Amino acid sequence: LSPSRGASAVVLRRAGECWLFDCGEGTQTQFMKSHLKAGRISKIFISHLHGDHLFGLPGLLSTLSLQSCPTTMKQPVEIYGPVGLRDFLWTSLEISHSQLLFPYVVHELVPTPDQCPAEQFKDLSAKGDVSSNEVQGRTVHLDPVEESYLLLNNEHVTVKAFQLFHRIPSFGFVVEESPRPGKLNVQRLKEFGIEPGPVCSKLKNGESIILQNGVTVSP
């Protein structure tokens, strides 16, 4: 952290949303300097519980609340991170009397003792009280076969977390988009005498076709 360099925070823009990875102190200030809209943050991923990756989160959520319309129904902001994140966030908001005008949900990843030096591993699994605007989140355990944590999986994208070794339990995140149909080369289709229709749909979906002259056309 320096006058010209902020703490850790990276934004992925996707389908009109902003996904925030880590939220160090001053993240909301960096948002203000950019062309990004903090109000479009829908998911936040925290890699570990060191302050330079975390201390900006309560302030950012509080600022988002000030910019929210209380009469507008809003989907919960989904927050992912190691066990202990939920209690940190609840305590920060509670003792500062911060009332969020939108719901949020914390999904906690359960680390294993081999992710950090033995003397640094702490069991933070105890659950505190539930905030009035907090939606109950998931507790995500390591899949021993995949050796990863499945956080999100739909027809468009899959998000997984992987264990990292650090001074405290840490995670890396992988965002994998599902394959999407490519664009057809219209000029090449004309050269083959292929007209728009079901045949083009097959090519767009990755299938090869055989023309009446016996020529095989592959995507």
Side-chain angles (χ1 to χ4, degrees), residues 71-149:
T71 60
T72 302
M73 294 297 294
K74 179 177 173 62
Q75 288 289 91
V77 174
E78 295 193 86
I79 305 171
Y80 301 82
V83 167
L85 175 60
R86 178 180 171 274
D87 281 350
F88 164 80
L89 187 54
W90 181 88
T91 301
S92 300
L93 296 175
E94 182 71 13
I95 64 175
S96 62
H97 297 268
S98 300
Q99 299 293 324
L100 302 185
L101 298 180
F102 58 86
Y104 71 93
V105 54
V106 179
H107 306 294
E108 292 190 314
L109 286 63
V110 180
T112 57
D114 58 353
Q115 284 183 246
C116 66
E119 65 274 12
Q120 296 292 331
F121 185 82
K122 297 179 181 179
D123 183 5
L124 302 175
S125 57
K127 296 293 183 182
D129 296 329
V130 178
S131 171
S132 60
N133 53 355
E134 179 186 353
V135 180
Q136 186 64 49
R138 294 184 291 132
T139 299
V140 189
H141 294 269
L142 176 70
D143 183 329
V145 177
E146 297 290 335
E147 296 186 337
S148 64
Y149 298 75

Side-chain angles (χ1 to χ4, degrees), residues 11-13 18 28-40:
V11 171
L12 170 66
R13 290 189 298 171
C18 288
Q28 62 176 309
T29 303
Q30 295 302 104
F31 258 100
M32 295 174 187
K33 294 179 180 178
S34 75
H35 62 279
L36 299 170
K37 296 184 181 297
R40 293 189 176 180

Side-chain angles (χ1 to χ4, degrees), residues 7-26:
S8 180
V10 175
V11 171
L12 170 66
R13 290 189 298 171
R14 191 184 174 282
E17 300 178 355
C18 288
W19 292 7
L20 178 62
F21 292 82
D22 282 333
C23 188
E25 185 178 359

Side-chain angles (χ1 to χ4, degrees), residues 25 63-65 67 78 83 128 139 196 201 209 212-213:
E25 185 178 359
T63 297
L64 292 180
S65 181
Q67 297 173 349
E78 295 193 86
V83 167
T139 299
S201 297
I209 61 171
Q212 292 183 344
N213 59 9

